[in-house]
Amino acid sequence: MYNLLKGKRGIIFGALDENSIAWKTAERVHEEGGKFVLTNAPVAMRMGQIKNLAEKTGSEIIPADATNMDDLENLITKSVEILGGKLDFVLHSIGMSVNVRKNIPYTESNYANTEKGWDVSALSFHKLCQVLYKNDAMNEWGSIVALTYMAAQRTFPDYNDMADNKAYLESIARSFGYFFGKDKKVRVNTISQSPTPTTAGQGVKGFGGFIAYADAMSPLGNATALDCANYTVSLFSDLTRKVTMQNLYHDGGFSSTGVSNEVIERFS
């Protein structure tokens, strides 16, 4: 380990279980010397094992609904108090689609479901950034990262309205990234990760087949949750101070590959 985050403080959203990218990130941040508060929605916390992660990393847990401004205000205020100063990093690893969960096709979207998923998956990132910004809660050269997926740029039919949510999320990172950079010297980026067998990811129809296809299409193979955690650590560190407002593909080369020999052979 390299002590890349020694002395740095932050918040990690979305750790559910050992399959979570947020979980792996928390472990890696801890190994690199960073301190953090863990947070998730109360209902998600009941489903997962976040208490085990807190014990392992010596972290405190503050439940928060990321769509609720009062919860976010409380989270940021208490985190600064617990950690003993302003924040250096924040990970937004949240996503949910009611339409996907209920197997409602994109062409038949229930719009109440759509709005709820949009609020959780995308608008929550704007709300989080706004609370951090208004409370001047980030140290200069701090780093805010959100996780996204390439369905924001390309069509994956069964990804449903989550594709729209991710496109909106990426736009927020660019727009808020401008103001955070100019006014606070804080970075805001998104990581476009390979399909990853997290609890949420496996809820997408046909996920098993798609993850195999993506692996066959990617020159380096799919990036794992641990790979993503390592990449996130690099973005939290001082080594990437001038990287901001970027959607960074972390997918083994999938996003730049038109077709692979493996796929050609499969259909020949």
Side-chain angles (χ1 to χ4, degrees):
M1 304 311 162
Y2 309 97
N3 281 326
L4 287 175
L5 303 180
K6 186 176 181 180
K8 293 190 181 296
R9 303 176 284 254
I11 301 174
I12 295 176
F13 284 76
L16 183 66
D17 55 36
E18 290 184 347
N19 296 319
S20 305
I21 293 172
W23 186 293
K24 300 293 187 188
T25 302
E27 291 178 330
R28 286 294 294 116
V29 169
H30 175 65
E31 290 169 354
E32 293 294 343
K35 296 182 179 180
F36 49 86
V37 165
L38 294 165
T39 186
N40 214 329
V43 63
M45 290 178 62
R46 290 193 294 271
M47 293 167 54
Q49 298 98 41
I50 194 172
K51 289 183 180 179
N52 297 338
L53 180 62
E55 291 174 5
K56 180 178 181 179
T57 59
S59 305
E60 293 198 35
I61 304 169
I62 302 177
D65 176 353
T67 69
N68 184 292
M69 295 296 281
D70 289 337
D71 278 15
L72 289 173
E73 289 279 357
N74 178 66
L75 170 66
I76 301 307
T77 300
K78 285 190 174 179
S79 294
V80 170
E81 291 176 359
I82 290 168
L83 296 169
K86 290 185 182 183
L87 309 175
D88 300 291
F89 60 86
V90 177
L91 175 65
H92 179 283
S93 180
I94 305 169
M96 183 278 294
S97 168
V98 182
N99 285 319
V100 169
R101 286 182 181 176
K102 295 187 175 183
N103 295 312
I104 299 171
Y106 185 79
T107 52
E108 300 172 20
S109 291
N110 174 299
Y111 294 120
N113 292 344
T114 301
E115 289 177 10
K116 184 172 180 60
W118 168 70
D119 196 13
V120 172
S121 306
L123 192 63
S124 65
F125 189 50
H126 194 287
K127 293 176 179 178
L128 169 62
C129 286
Q130 185 178 110
V131 173
L132 291 168
Y133 183 89
K134 285 189 171 180
N135 285 279
D136 195 25
M138 298 291 298
N139 277 319
E140 284 193 355
W141 306 112
S143 176
I144 302 169
V145 173
L147 299 183
T148 185
Y149 181 55
M150 200 175 62
Q153 288 80 35
R154 300 186 189 176
T155 300
F156 297 87
D158 292 323
Y159 204 64
N160 209 306
D161 58 350
M162 276 302 298
D164 302 334
N165 296 336
K166 293 300 188 184
Y168 195 91
L169 177 81
E170 291 173 18
S171 180
I172 290 168
R174 287 187 294 272
S175 298
F176 234 121
Y178 174 84
F179 294 103
F180 254 123
K182 290 289 287 184
D183 300 336
K184 311 285 187 180
K185 287 189 172 61
V186 170
R187 298 162 279 161
V188 185
N189 294 289
T190 53
I191 296 175
S192 188
Q193 166 72 359
S194 295
T196 310
T198 61
T199 301
Q202 293 179 76
V204 177
K205 182 181 175 183
F207 184 80
F210 179 67
I211 196 169
Y213 166 76
D215 198 50
M217 275 284 287
S218 307
L220 295 179
N222 288 333
T224 67
L226 179 57
D227 291 330
C228 190
N230 286 325
Y231 193 36
T232 303
V233 165
S234 75
L235 290 174
F236 286 166
S237 79
D238 290 333
L239 300 178
T240 52
R241 278 191 168 192
K242 293 300 178 75
V243 180
T244 194
M245 299 165 64
Q246 301 299 307
N247 180 48
L248 301 161
Y249 291 104
H250 185 252
D251 58 11
F254 180 91
S255 53
S256 294
T257 304
V259 70
S260 68
N261 288 333
E262 289 84 352
V263 172
I264 290 173
E265 290 169 5
R266 171 68 177 81
F267 290 98
S268 295

